[in-house]
Amino acid sequence: MDIESIAAKLSRGERIDAAEAKLLWEEAPLWLLARLATEAKVRKSGNAVYYNKNFHLEPTNICLFECRFCSYRRRKGEVGAWDYSMEEILAQVEARKDSGATEIHIVGGVHPEHDIYYYAEMISRIKAIMPEVCVKAFTAVELHYMIRKAGLSIEEGLRLLKEAGMESIPGGGAEIFDEKIRAEICPGKCSSAEWLEMHEKAHRLGFDSNATMLYGHIESIDHRIDHLLRLRELQDRTGGFNAFIPLKFRSANNGLEALGETSVVDDMRTLAMSRLILDNVLHIKAYWVMYGKATAELALSFGADDIDGTIEDSTKIYSMAGAADAQPRLTIAEIEKMCAAAGYKAVERDTHYNEI
Ligand code: V47
Ligand code: SF4
């Protein structure tokens, strides 16, 4: 096994195993990863780079977990905590109902008192205001907690939310699947097996979803490869993942601050290797709110074919962890310019990647 033969295999569209991925990840020159990832991207999405018009709702940052990488969570009553009422959330939707958004992404802390019936009501009242919008809501971690708390089976809980109008599940909460690393960075949170089970059951009930990986903290390349292979294995069985999103650990204001942040070169290698290992996932998202605009543009030469949303990315997860823009905004003209500079065409999509 050498780099040249692995590269030839990838160019023929063949799958690589863990050992081949490790050699490539650790030793291939950067230009080769860019070339191979670009070939794989073009096979899947031609000259398109996707974006969508969405906005975020973050009902609360009160959370009963204490993930060490999180800059966002607060205890009830602590300075910086928020917990919007139902009426306040609906007012946020009302204010943006004519914005042209096709997606609302709802995510937040795991609040000990808000239950699944409260969130089902929230979704159905949002849909009454914006009937056409796609609600992409709750990480597997939030879902796992609210469904178990209600004493429901996973299927019963997911069906309840589906009937309320939820269509898709975001990719958060995956972190790193390796059990030892997971126990170090986010003890007590739903396990890797439970995260994967939630997505598998959701796919079987007709939801589609995304998957993420939090990298650049205490994990090794082997842990990243293991994470990607567990996703590839599930995708082989269900085909329900739309996109994979590598999430770069941002170090400000959290329990892992002393680690600092990984390099942009590591970001590019991680994007390219995600594209090459996940041969059965159509889209790789370079989430510009986390990378910043310049790095997101660079990512388009390393296999990414999606840059997520526009309109107003009101998420506070990244600004509170030190990402560059406190009020992130990207106009459509900027997106078009960014994609053209990378040699691609910006294409608007909905949550399910139908072109608009
Ligand atoms: O699970 C928290 C991550 C995730 C930090 O599905 C951090 O379209 C870096 O999953 N540094 C939530 N990352 C956000 C998320 C997401 C974002 C955009 C699009 C989609 C999608 C999903 O944020 C958490 C965690 O992995 N996170 N703190 C931090 N300091
Ligand atoms: Fe809570 Fe999510 Fe932060 Fe973990 S990452 S502490 S689950 S808000």
Side-chain angles (χ1 to χ4, degrees):
M1 176 176 72
D2 58 25
I3 289 175
E4 223 169 277
S5 60
I6 302 167
K9 222 172 149 178
L10 284 165
S11 291
R12 292 193 299 271
E14 290 171 22
R15 179 166 275 193
I16 55 170
D17 65 19
E20 291 165 326
K22 185 174 165 71
L23 184 66
L24 216 52
W25 203 319
E26 292 181 336
E27 293 183 29
L30 192 58
W31 64 262
L32 180 61
L33 292 186
R35 200 195 82 198
L36 294 171
T38 299
E39 276 174 19
K41 177 248 172 277
V42 169
R43 272 201 296 271
K44 294 219 163 60
S45 49
N47 74 339
V49 168
Y50 295 99
Y51 70 94
N52 77 337
K53 292 189 189 148
N54 69 355
F55 62 85
H56 285 231
L57 295 175
E58 298 187 352
T60 183
N61 67 343
I62 294 172
C63 185
L64 47 80
F65 295 116
E66 296 185 43
C67 302
R68 287 173 67 202
F69 53 80
C70 181
S71 315
Y72 169 88
R73 65 138 339 229
R74 294 289 185 273
R75 281 191 202 84
K76 205 171 171 176
E78 201 179 335
V79 177
W82 70 81
D83 185 11
Y84 295 120
S85 67
M86 179 77 81
E87 299 313 320
E88 285 170 321
I89 289 289
L90 297 175
Q92 290 177 22
V93 176
E94 195 72 50
R96 295 165 172 136
K97 77 172 179 198
D98 298 318
S99 60
T102 61
E103 172 185 291
I104 301 181
H105 180 163
I106 311 176
V107 74
V110 182
H111 193 294
E113 286 147 31
H114 295 173
D115 64 19
I116 192 168
Y117 303 103
Y118 171 81
Y119 284 121
E121 182 190 341
M122 184 183 288
I123 293 171
S124 58
R125 292 181 70 181
I126 288 172
K127 291 287 284 186
I129 301 171
M130 292 181 73
E132 302 298 324
V133 89
C134 172
V135 175
K136 180 178 88 179
F138 312 125
T139 66
V141 173
E142 295 168 271
L143 291 168
H144 189 258
Y145 179 79
M146 69 174 86
I147 291 173
R148 264 204 6 200
K149 190 171 173 227
L152 301 174
S153 69
I154 305 281
E155 285 86 350
E156 287 167 337
L158 288 172
R159 266 196 211 103
L160 181 78
L161 294 167
K162 193 167 196 214
E163 278 156 23
M166 185 168 121
E167 285 177 42
S168 191
I169 297 176
E175 322 312 358
I176 277 280
F177 291 145
D178 177 85
E179 282 72 12
K180 271 200 185 131
I181 302 290
R182 193 172 183 84
E184 286 266 326
I185 63 171
C186 51
K189 194 149 113 163
C190 87
S191 69
S192 306
E194 286 165 339
W195 190 99
L196 290 160
E197 179 194 15
M198 185 67 71
H199 281 259
E200 175 160 7
K201 291 194 165 152
H203 296 167
R204 298 206 190 284
L205 287 172
F207 292 92
D208 52 17
S209 73
N210 292 333
T212 58
M213 172 176 75
L214 181 72
Y215 71 94
H217 43 89
I218 58 167
E219 88 296 354
S220 67
I221 298 296
D222 287 327
H223 296 130
R224 296 184 198 177
I225 293 172
D226 167 66
H227 188 97
L228 292 165
L229 291 179
R230 292 197 210 190
L231 290 173
R232 187 170 82 180
E233 190 277 325
L234 175 53
Q235 180 75 340
D236 273 342
R237 290 188 287 110
T238 67
F241 289 118
N242 284 331
F244 174 72
I245 311 150
L247 294 173
K248 176 192 186 118
F249 167 63
R250 307 300 308 231
S251 67
N253 311 314
N254 61 54
L256 297 177
E257 190 157 6
L259 294 175
E261 292 180 2
T262 195
S263 67
V264 173
V265 172
D266 188 32
D267 296 335
M268 295 306 115
R269 297 187 82 84
T270 304
L271 273 159
M273 288 307 304
S274 303
R275 172 59 88 188
L276 295 174
I277 294 171
L278 293 174
D279 57 1
N280 53 2
V281 175
L282 279 177
H283 306 290
I284 304 290
K285 191 185 284 189
Y287 184 42
W288 67 269
V289 176
M290 170 203 60
Y291 283 129
K293 294 175 191 174
T295 305
E297 183 172 329
L298 190 60
L300 302 181
S301 296
F302 287 84
D305 71 339
D306 190 290
I307 56 161
D308 201 71
T310 170
I311 297 199
E312 190 182 336
D313 204 317
S314 37
T315 179
K316 297 193 184 68
I317 297 173
Y318 291 95
S319 54
M320 289 168 82
D325 300 321
Q327 269 278 297
R329 258 170 193 282
L330 195 58
T331 63
I332 294 180
E334 277 180 287
I335 292 175
E336 283 169 351
K337 204 169 148 206
M338 181 192 268
C339 296
Y344 296 114
K345 185 175 180 306
V347 176
E348 187 185 345
R349 62 163 176 87
D350 67 12
T351 307
H352 315 295
Y353 285 80
N354 299 305
E355 295 187 8
I356 291 172

